[in-house]
Amino acid sequence: MPFLDQITEPTLLLNETVARANIRRMADKAHRHHVTLRPHFKTHQSRQVGEWFKAEGITSITVSSVKMAQYFARHGWQNITIAFPLNRRQLPQLAELARQITLNLTVTSADDISFLREHLTEQVNVWVKADTGYGRTGIKTEDTAALDTVLHELAQTPQHPFLGFLAHAGHSYKARNKEAIVAIHQETLTKMRALKERYSGAWPGLQLSIGDTPSCSVTEDFSGMNEIRPGNFVFYDLMQNLISSCRLEDIAVAVACPVVALHPDRNEIILYGGSVHFSKDALPQADGGVIFGLVVPLTENGWGAPLSETALVSLSQEHGIVRTTPELFSQFEIGGLVGVLPVHSCLTADLMKGYLTLQGERLEHLSGINGF
Amino acid sequence: MPFLDQITEPTLLLNETVARANIRRMADKAHRHHVTLRPHFKTHQSRQVGEWFKAEGITSITVSSVKMAQYFARHGWQNITIAFPLNRRQLPQLAELARQITLNLTVTSADDISFLREHLTEQVNVWVKADTGYGRTGIKTEDTAALDTVLHELAQTPQHPFLGFLAHAGHSYKARNKEAIVAIHQETLTKMRALKERYSGAWPGLQLSIGDTPSCSVTEDFSGMNEIRPGNFVFYDLMQNLISSCRLEDIAVAVACPVVALHPDRNEIILYGGSVHFSKDALPQADGGVIFGLVVPLTENGWGAPLSETALVSLSQEHGIVRTTPELFSQFEIGGLVGVLPVHSCLTADLMKGYLTLQGERLEHLSGINGF
């Protein structure tokens, strides 16, 4: 078990076979539906994992920060959308990126567009952020007055071509079954197609970009859309499993944690693995409580199915507490390792700052790279 | 405003004057009560902040991982306690540290002691972790049978001297006023002193080590204790303010975040600043909701008092949503910066990976250092 022997402290294991299958499945779906898959790379933030996407023919990507755009541009990605509201304080960095690659920015107001027109000489392409019901940011698709103003501003900014409307139906994360996801997705499709109908006379090339992981995993209708931008699907996690976006066996990452103490009186196991490794994202339980992960046995081939009635129930900075049953308690030993499926793989990967594949290879994560 | 001009993305501001005052106050209290202050460095994890402690005469410290011990040993700290259950998988690293510095380990079982006796040649000192009611790990102070066994094992391990009992009354974090903290603290003192009474005949040099930030901030009785180990007090945060450990003006860190979008229809402001910057630790509110930070105006001297009825109410990976009042909304402008007081400074500092002082100096955090 060479990959297990390397482990002395909490380590993020990555099952390459599962991740590549997740990528291939989504790439196939996009192909089948004639939409471009522009995956969101904020989940993995790794140049090596990026290569697995290239192997499936992916050439354009999404990121959520200028830093991520710089990182992936450095590693050969030539077409990058920053799906985050324009951060005006990073204008010099955006200008530099725009000289290197095809850079697509996201704006949330007419004011953003006039700012770009007045301050950015280098050409960028512009997505207008549409709010289809999530309510985080963007212009509500019903607010045609605001949209008219934005497109009027864009018409005066030919140096920064208008690409179309970009939406993120993040409220799909609050769904708890496929029907709820499908309903949110259909509403998004309807609202986005209405935008196209309204504006495609003046803007015949106008594109529509959507794509959260739940909707892209569960649904099969993308009619009228030009591209999808799911991200989490490369690894999935317990939250996506709860939502019904994935099976437990589609989860491609697990945190290997040393067992450091046993408490047989309460069937609790203390792990070296806390909130600085997992994040504090929690999975609501039927009894009103929350858990921070499910426990899987580690094997020479990776990990097995979650142990029944066993979960990571509490986190402090470096400690995790696993609660199990009297029957399973004897499986744990001090000095041993257990795996934990994370609730939110994006945050866990960001905290863990790198990966160990089941073949013993170390892969980088942007958050572990100095000077970035 | 040179320190503000440097900021283009979420940046952890550190007010050195406030942090140094927090350190001095705790050092004075320890001196007054004739206990050693062995501060927990997991909160700041910074060699430069460590120097501020040295300036107050601190020579011995606490950490919660082998990695932190390696880092601070490299920066001249000669007496370090790892207040985390022995991680057997890091035995070679512990041996190397024990050759360099006075290393104090924490054990939670008799089995840990026989493991050290059989596998670790280099001398370490041993704290026995006592559970005074927190219930995370350690041996319950009432479980004299288990404690007898542990001390019997230690008697057979003269190469690893027994220091005494170490406890962390982490349940003080669940307190919501000074009286509750004092009650927990008094119970800890009583239980710890009982241990000393029971075992000091056989172990006359036996020491008692306690010290969470709430208890050490609020109480004035440390009779019978030898050392205190608070950590969070160097920065404090909103959680400590809620508990009544500190005033808002004692909080030494704030995250400066660019404003990237405005939603006047709902008095919401979108910040570049999300769960990868703040962590998901939340502060419960009277109405049953939670918040992730309070908003402070940034000035050339640092930051002001929190804006009333204004809070960070939602976080996604890179986005934060601030909700404010119609009156205060006009204070926010796209491209501007606001400060956010964090709920949990330890986790925020770990995520931010470094500091910017109000004098414009960059200070390091272990989590931002490559190769560690």
Side-chain angles (χ1 to χ4, degrees):
Chain A
M1 285 180 270
F3 82 94
L4 293 180
D5 290 342
Q6 292 186 38
I7 297 171
T8 59
E9 49 185 355
T11 301
L12 187 56
L13 302 179
L14 171 52
N15 186 322
E16 178 175 342
T17 307
V18 171
R20 281 186 183 265
N22 291 341
I23 296 168
R24 189 167 312 123
R25 202 177 322 114
M26 195 62 80
D28 287 349
K29 182 180 273 197
H31 189 73
R32 212 158 60 233
H33 292 282
H34 309 291
V35 291
T36 300
L37 174 59
R38 180 189 284 277
H40 207 312
F41 274 16
K42 73 177 180 152
T43 301
H44 62 82
Q45 297 184 51
S46 172
R47 64 177 171 83
Q48 292 105 331
V49 177
E51 296 303 314
W52 305 347
F53 284 85
K54 274 191 193 152
E56 296 297 330
I58 305 301
T59 56
S60 57
I61 64 170
T62 309
V63 298
S64 54
S65 71
V66 173
K67 194 182 283 192
M68 283 184 224
Q70 292 168 327
Y71 172 73
F72 286 110
R74 180 187 290 191
H75 292 295
W77 293 91
Q78 285 292 314
N79 189 316
I80 301 180
T81 294
I82 303 179
F84 186 85
L86 172 65
N87 176 16
R88 299 185 189 181
R89 300 181 78 90
Q90 292 184 301
L91 191 70
Q93 292 89 335
L94 292 172
E96 197 191 334
L97 270 170
R99 287 192 289 271
Q100 299 164 6
I101 63 164
T102 300
L103 183 64
N104 315 302
L105 300 184
T106 306
V107 301
T108 61
S109 66
D111 199 48
D112 273 349
I113 297 156
S114 55
F115 178 87
L116 288 176
R117 187 175 60 234
E118 287 159 27
H119 296 98
L120 185 64
T121 316
E122 291 77 3
Q123 180 183 316
V124 295
N125 302 311
V126 177
W127 287 108
V128 173
K129 173 85 173 168
D131 181 358
T132 60
Y134 182 26
R136 184 172 63 181
T137 189
I139 303 166
K140 289 198 177 88
T141 51
E142 300 81 3
D143 190 353
T144 49
L147 288 165
D148 288 352
T149 309
V150 163
L151 270 71
H152 179 76
E153 204 68 41
L154 277 163
Q156 298 170 57
T157 316
Q159 65 268 49
H160 299 310
F162 174 44
L163 287 176
F165 297 102
L166 175 147
H168 174 65
H171 47 321
S172 66
Y173 280 63
K174 288 172 187 145
R176 289 295 174 264
N177 56 58
K178 292 189 184 185
E179 293 66 32
I181 295 170
V182 168
I184 289 166
H185 179 66
Q186 285 300 332
E187 193 189 357
T188 293
L189 292 183
T190 303
K191 290 182 169 183
M192 292 295 272
R193 286 191 296 243
L195 289 184
K196 192 166 192 170
E197 208 160 294
R198 183 177 174 91
Y199 294 108
S200 64
W203 303 88
L206 184 159
Q207 297 177 56
L208 300 177
S209 174
I210 59 160
D212 51 292
T213 281
S215 301
C216 293
S217 298
V218 163
T219 67
E220 290 287 343
D221 178 8
F222 300 92
S223 50
M225 302 301 112
N226 298 90
E227 66 171 32
I228 55 174
R229 307 183 323 279
N232 178 283
F233 73 96
V234 58
F235 297 154
Y236 286 119
D237 52 34
L238 292 181
M239 185 59 82
Q240 294 300 323
N241 177 254
L242 177 76
I243 293 173
S244 79
S245 291
C246 71
R247 303 169 304 164
L248 284 172
E249 48 274 45
D250 298 326
I251 299 176
V253 287
V255 184
C257 295
V259 173
V260 294
L262 296 174
H263 293 286
D265 56 317
R266 47 188 190 263
N267 300 308
E268 288 181 356
I269 298 102
I270 308 299
L271 301 184
Y272 178 13
S275 47
V276 294
H277 306 103
F278 289 100
S279 93
K280 276 286 188 80
D281 257 8
L283 202 70
Q285 297 295 289
D287 65 1
V290 297
I291 65 166
F292 299 95
L294 288 179
V295 177
V296 292
L298 297 177
T299 68
E300 58 186 30
N301 302 315
W303 56 85
L307 300 178
S308 64
E309 296 177 68
T310 303
L312 187 60
V313 295
S314 176
L315 291 176
S316 35
Q317 186 164 341
E318 311 270 349
H319 301 71
I321 302 179
V322 167
R323 195 172 297 143
T324 186
T325 62
E327 295 70 36
L328 292 175
F329 187 79
S330 62
Q331 297 199 7
F332 296 87
E333 55 171 357
I334 296 181
L337 286 175
V338 297
V340 178
L341 300 181
V343 171
H344 190 169
S345 60
C346 309
L347 297 188
T348 302
D350 180 76
L351 282 162
M352 296 300 299
K353 308 186 184 79
Y355 309 88
L356 180 67
T357 71
L358 305 184
Q359 287 69 44
E361 191 188 355
R362 300 260 169 194
L363 308 185
E364 70 185 34
H365 184 292
L366 172 53
S367 73
I369 299 171
N370 224 357
F372 247 113
Chain B
M1 286 180 272
F3 82 94
L4 293 180
D5 290 343
Q6 291 186 38
I7 297 171
T8 59
E9 50 185 355
T11 301
L12 186 57
L13 302 179
L14 171 52
N15 186 322
E16 178 175 341
T17 307
V18 171
R20 281 186 183 264
N22 291 340
I23 296 169
R24 190 166 313 123
R25 205 180 317 116
M26 195 62 80
D28 287 349
K29 181 180 274 198
H31 188 72
R32 215 159 57 234
H33 292 282
H34 308 292
V35 292
T36 301
L37 174 59
R38 180 189 282 279
H40 206 313
F41 274 18
K42 72 175 180 157
T43 300
H44 63 82
Q45 298 186 48
S46 171
R47 64 178 171 84
Q48 293 104 331
V49 178
E51 296 302 315
W52 305 348
F53 284 85
K54 274 192 194 152
E56 297 296 330
I58 305 301
T59 57
S60 57
I61 64 170
T62 309
V63 299
S64 54
S65 72
V66 173
K67 193 182 283 190
M68 283 185 223
Q70 291 169 327
Y71 172 72
F72 286 110
R74 180 188 288 192
H75 292 294
W77 293 91
Q78 285 291 314
N79 188 316
I80 302 179
T81 294
I82 303 178
F84 186 85
L86 171 67
N87 175 15
R88 299 186 189 181
R89 300 181 79 91
Q90 292 184 302
L91 192 70
Q93 292 90 335
L94 293 173
E96 196 191 335
L97 271 170
R99 287 192 288 272
Q100 298 164 6
I101 61 163
T102 300
L103 183 63
N104 315 302
L105 300 183
T106 306
V107 301
T108 62
S109 65
D111 200 47
D112 273 349
I113 298 157
S114 56
F115 177 86
L116 288 177
R117 186 174 61 232
E118 287 159 27
H119 296 98
L120 186 63
T121 315
E122 291 77 3
Q123 180 184 315
V124 295
N125 302 310
V126 176
W127 287 108
V128 172
K129 174 83 172 171
D131 182 358
T132 60
Y134 183 26
R136 183 171 65 183
T137 188
I139 302 167
K140 289 198 177 88
T141 51
E142 300 80 4
D143 191 352
T144 49
L147 288 166
D148 288 352
T149 309
V150 163
L151 270 70
H152 178 75
E153 204 67 41
L154 278 164
Q156 297 169 56
T157 316
Q159 66 268 49
H160 299 311
F162 173 44
L163 287 176
F165 296 103
L166 176 148
H168 174 65
H171 47 321
S172 66
Y173 280 64
K174 287 171 189 146
R176 288 296 175 264
N177 56 58
K178 291 189 184 184
E179 292 65 35
I181 295 171
V182 168
I184 289 166
H185 178 65
Q186 285 300 333
E187 192 189 359
T188 293
L189 292 183
T190 303
K191 289 182 170 182
M192 292 296 272
R193 287 191 295 244
L195 289 184
K196 192 165 190 169
E197 209 161 295
R198 182 177 175 90
Y199 294 109
S200 63
W203 303 88
L206 185 159
Q207 297 178 58
L208 300 177
S209 174
I210 60 160
D212 50 294
T213 281
S215 301
C216 292
S217 298
V218 162
T219 67
E220 289 287 344
D221 177 9
F222 299 93
S223 49
M225 301 300 111
N226 298 91
E227 66 171 33
I228 56 173
R229 306 185 323 279
N232 178 283
F233 73 96
V234 60
F235 297 155
Y236 287 119
D237 53 33
L238 293 180
M239 185 58 82
Q240 293 300 323
N241 177 253
L242 178 76
I243 293 174
S244 79
S245 292
C246 71
R247 302 168 306 164
L248 285 171
E249 49 271 46
D250 299 325
I251 299 176
V253 288
V255 185
C257 295
V259 172
V260 295
L262 296 174
H263 293 285
D265 57 317
R266 49 189 190 265
N267 299 308
E268 288 182 355
I269 298 103
I270 308 298
L271 302 185
Y272 178 13
S275 47
V276 295
H277 307 103
F278 290 100
S279 95
K280 276 286 187 81
D281 257 8
L283 202 70
Q285 297 296 286
D287 65 1
V290 297
I291 66 165
F292 299 95
L294 288 179
V295 178
V296 292
L298 296 177
T299 69
E300 57 186 32
N301 302 314
W303 56 86
L307 301 178
S308 64
E309 297 176 67
T310 303
L312 187 60
V313 296
S314 176
L315 292 177
S316 37
Q317 186 163 342
E318 311 270 349
H319 300 72
I321 302 180
V322 167
R323 195 171 298 142
T324 186
T325 62
E327 294 70 34
L328 291 175
F329 187 79
S330 62
Q331 297 200 6
F332 296 87
E333 56 170 358
I334 296 181
L337 286 177
V338 298
V340 178
L341 300 181
V343 171
H344 190 170
S345 60
C346 309
L347 297 188
T348 302
D350 181 76
L351 282 161
M352 296 301 300
K353 307 186 184 78
Y355 309 88
L356 181 66
T357 71
L358 305 184
Q359 287 69 45
E361 191 189 355
R362 299 258 169 197
L363 308 186
E364 69 185 34
H365 184 293
L366 173 54
S367 74
I369 299 172
N370 224 357
F372 248 112

